[in-house]
Amino acid sequence: MAVIHQTYVRPTKLELLTPWLPTRPWYHGSPEPELTKAGGFRLDDPEGEVGIEFMVVTDGKGAYLVPLTYRAAPLPGAEHALVGTMEHGVLGPRWAYDGCHDPVLTAGLAALIEGRVEAQAQSVSHTLDREVARAWTGAARVPALTAPTDTAEATEFAAPDGPTLRLHRVLTPGSTAPEDALGQVTGAWTQPDGTRVRALFAALRPS
């Protein structure tokens, strides 16, 4: 299960995201946002090499889902997805990527939808996140996904001749999966006023 090191990270994750987030087509806030970490969860890398985090950040108006991976060396061919580099007090240099472009994260998300893995607490070691819910009605595994495409609200992965996985980047409190969804993930975060809310994080729909 996920091990969280209680140490420093420089720059912080929010400091990395502050200039990066406004460059995303699905971000609709200020060009110089004041971000708050509002929720999220982690997944385990079966090989124990890559950190996987689904972070929810708020900018005072909206809430955004930012999947990130943390690596000890650059991911070949993923220069376009690099969010930034940072120094971890225990693990040393780390390369942070938009996790939608990292095969370790997308494989973990598919396994979560199917129920083969469980969501881990974001900030506590060896602890499951009971607020994350998932469902899967498919008869087989989630199919292999194509490269991600960003839209004004989400990141989408289309399987060849198959379903589309939609990862909601802009989170809407109270949102639920469409009736035809084959699989889904929902989670929770804290709004700026302190209210704890839930929303749809990801849904797999027929083509």
Side-chain angles (χ1 to χ4, degrees):
M1 299 179 75
V3 176
I4 311 301
H5 299 284
Q6 302 302 325
T7 186
Y8 68 85
V9 177
R10 297 174 183 156
T12 68
K13 297 171 188 177
L14 292 181
E15 287 172 340
L16 283 183
L17 291 177
T18 295
W20 179 83
L21 205 60
T23 68
R24 303 300 94 190
W26 38 264
Y27 178 72
H28 308 298
S30 166
E32 297 182 357
E34 294 185 8
L35 301 177
T36 299
K37 182 178 175 182
F41 63 93
R42 290 178 176 265
L43 294 176
D44 278 337
D45 170 18
E47 301 298 324
E49 296 294 329
V50 180
I52 306 172
E53 181 176 15
F54 289 76
M55 184 186 298
V56 178
V57 298
T58 59
D59 63 357
K61 294 181 179 179
Y64 299 88
L65 180 61
V66 185
L68 297 167
T69 55
Y70 311 109
R71 290 175 167 267
L75 175 62
E79 295 82 3
H80 63 290
L82 181 67
V83 177
T85 59
M86 53 193 181
E87 184 71 21
H88 189 283
V90 175
L91 302 176
R94 304 293 279 174
W95 280 257
Y97 288 93
D98 178 352
C100 290
H101 298 265
D102 193 320
V104 173
L105 183 141
T106 54
L109 178 58
L112 174 64
I113 291 173
E114 295 169 12
R116 292 186 285 115
V117 302
E118 295 184 277
Q120 308 291 313
Q122 189 177 29
S123 303
V124 182
S125 297
H126 309 299
T127 302
L128 298 179
D129 188 332
R130 301 296 185 184
E131 288 190 301
V132 176
R134 41 72 50 193
W136 171 241
T137 63
R141 289 192 170 184
V142 174
L145 302 172
T146 59
T149 300
D150 285 334
T151 72
E153 302 287 332
T155 299
E156 297 183 348
F157 307 80
D161 302 317
T164 296
L165 176 61
R166 191 169 199 258
L167 189 73
H168 291 254
R169 298 296 205 142
V170 181
L171 298 178
T172 303
S175 58
T176 58
E179 292 184 0
D180 64 349
L182 302 173
Q184 62 177 286
V185 176
T186 60
W189 74 96
T190 302
Q191 297 198 107
D193 64 1
T195 304
R196 194 73 174 166
V197 293
R198 294 189 61 80
L200 179 67
F201 281 10
L204 186 71
R205 301 187 66 183
S207 58

